[in-house]
Amino acid sequence: MPGSPSESPGGARRTWSAVKAWIDPLVVMIVAVLVLGLVLPADGVAADVLGTVKTAAIVVLFFLYGARMATREVWDGLRAWKLQGSMLASTYLVFPLLGLAIQLLPDAVLADELKTGLLFLSVLPSTIQSSVVFTSIARGNVAGAICGATVSNVLGIVLTPLFVAVLLSRTGGPLGGSAAATLLQLLVPFVVGQAVQPWIGRWVRAHRPLTLVTDRAAILLVAYASVSEAQVSGAWDEITWVSLVVLLVVCAVLLAVMLATTWGVGGRIGLNRPDRIALLMCGSKKSLATGLPMASVLFSPVVAASVALPVIVFHQLQLATCAVLARRLASTEPDEVVARTA
């Protein structure tokens, strides 16, 4: 009907704002790059040059990760040991156990490369930006979320490659990266960044547009290179639309289990509502920004693109779901406060 709220300019703007809240622009750009890699893959000399540029971009990316993380803030936040401990347990204990359980699915249900990608997803650190944003929207403990996600990412520089080496060797997964590559491309740049953080950290944090461009450029380079190498080698020939639908369902179940677990455990261990929200938002997420570069270092080029696919799917799914949850938690909080004080 003309003049109805859904058709009014204000209603249209609200609808568009709601859509933009859970559509991550980075994921849209990654999808565009994936299509480009399928249509125009780099080969020969171009592929060699792309590989060199990609390696340099990963080194710069992890150097900036170290340079912009204030070490003092991380240690200050560790005082809330119950919240931080439950976040780390969710990220590096419960998630990997679920990732191992997924490996029991028959290959006829889910392709082996995608199961490997889901196991890799399960050992990634939590995402920082979206965890903090959704915690803030839901009126949770923002300081606790910042600390928990930051500590998760710091530890992930060491723990994720370690878990990949241990778990995938036991499940027969395809490893292509070496310890030297992991050390030189991930850990050393991060440590150097932390070493110079007292001198350049404030400047780096003050120039967020620069770091945002660097982050996204590195991730898009990795995404294009991975898909391009997989397309040239024929690594994706066996992945069908049915496999993608099954992957989406598995990711949805994995996310639902983690959301239910983090919220339920938060209540059982006596966390207050703001801390439970921080645990819910940080403990249920995985980092796309860290996952794609790590996949290109830890796996062979033929496998890296297939391994990265579950990370991309899960990332977009977690954004869409947590955007809805954050608004619902924010809208119900006043009623619960009134009930408690009545």
Side-chain angles (χ1 to χ4, degrees):
M1 291 178 58
S4 64
S6 61
E7 296 184 3
S8 66
R13 282 194 297 269
R14 286 192 295 272
T15 300
W16 176 237
S17 297
V19 171
K20 289 195 295 183
W22 63 266
I23 295 180
D24 187 353
L26 178 58
V27 173
V28 175
M29 288 188 283
I30 289 173
V31 171
V33 166
L34 295 181
V35 174
L36 180 63
L38 292 173
V39 177
L40 295 173
D43 199 3
V45 176
D48 294 337
V49 173
L50 179 63
T52 302
V53 174
K54 179 190 72 173
T55 299
I58 291 172
V59 170
V60 172
L61 179 68
F62 279 85
F63 169 78
L64 290 176
Y65 279 165
R68 70 191 184 203
M69 288 183 178
T71 308
R72 179 180 56 80
E73 294 179 3
V74 176
W75 289 114
D76 288 346
L78 287 176
R79 294 173 183 172
W81 62 269
K82 188 182 290 187
L83 173 60
Q84 303 304 327
S86 57
M87 285 182 182
L88 291 176
S90 298
T91 302
Y92 292 117
L93 180 60
V94 180
F95 245 123
L97 289 175
L98 292 174
L100 285 172
I102 290 172
Q103 306 309 300
L104 299 176
L105 291 174
D107 291 347
V109 175
L110 191 63
D112 188 59
E113 293 85 357
L114 297 181
K115 287 193 291 184
T116 300
L118 286 164
L119 183 57
F120 172 65
L121 167 74
S122 72
V123 299
L124 286 174
S126 176
T127 183
I128 296 178
Q129 183 177 354
S130 61
S131 295
V132 174
V133 169
F134 288 137
T135 299
S136 177
I137 292 173
R139 302 179 185 179
N141 182 349
V142 175
I146 292 173
C147 177
T150 302
V151 171
S152 172
N153 275 258
V154 172
L155 292 178
I157 303 298
V158 176
L159 290 181
T160 296
L162 180 62
F163 274 137
V164 167
V166 173
L167 296 182
L168 287 178
S169 65
R170 297 202 171 197
T171 59
L175 288 172
S178 65
T182 301
L183 183 68
L184 293 176
Q185 295 183 40
L186 304 181
L187 187 57
V188 170
F190 179 82
V191 171
V192 172
Q194 273 284 284
V196 300
Q197 188 272 141
W199 293 278
I200 70 171
R202 182 176 297 178
W203 184 89
V204 172
R205 289 189 292 271
H207 292 76
R208 175 166 169 73
L210 173 63
T211 57
L212 185 63
V213 169
T214 304
D215 286 358
R216 293 192 171 186
I219 293 166
L220 293 175
L221 267 173
V222 168
Y224 175 74
S226 299
V227 174
S228 181
E229 291 164 346
Q231 180 69 0
V232 171
S233 65
W236 279 9
D237 291 347
E238 297 183 2
I239 295 181
T240 65
W241 286 106
V242 175
S243 298
L244 293 178
V245 172
V246 174
L247 174 62
L248 181 61
V249 172
V250 173
C251 285
V253 172
L254 179 61
L255 178 60
V257 170
M258 287 307 303
L259 288 170
T261 300
T262 51
W263 185 254
V265 168
R268 285 185 174 274
I269 64 177
L271 295 180
N272 58 33
R273 181 184 173 88
D275 283 356
R276 287 182 75 185
I277 290 173
L279 174 59
L280 176 77
M281 295 302 175
C282 294
S284 62
K285 290 186 176 56
K286 291 295 181 177
S287 174
L288 176 77
T290 302
L292 293 189
M294 278 192 169
S296 71
V297 175
L298 298 173
F299 296 93
S300 63
V302 174
V303 177
S306 300
V307 168
L309 188 57
V311 180
I312 297 170
V313 171
F314 188 85
H315 178 79
Q316 184 60 28
L317 191 61
Q318 72 185 9
L319 290 178
T321 304
C322 289
V324 175
L325 280 177
R327 291 190 180 89
R328 183 174 180 82
L329 286 167
S331 66
T332 58
E333 193 248 2
D335 292 336
E336 294 188 5
V337 171
V338 170
R340 287 197 301 267
T341 57

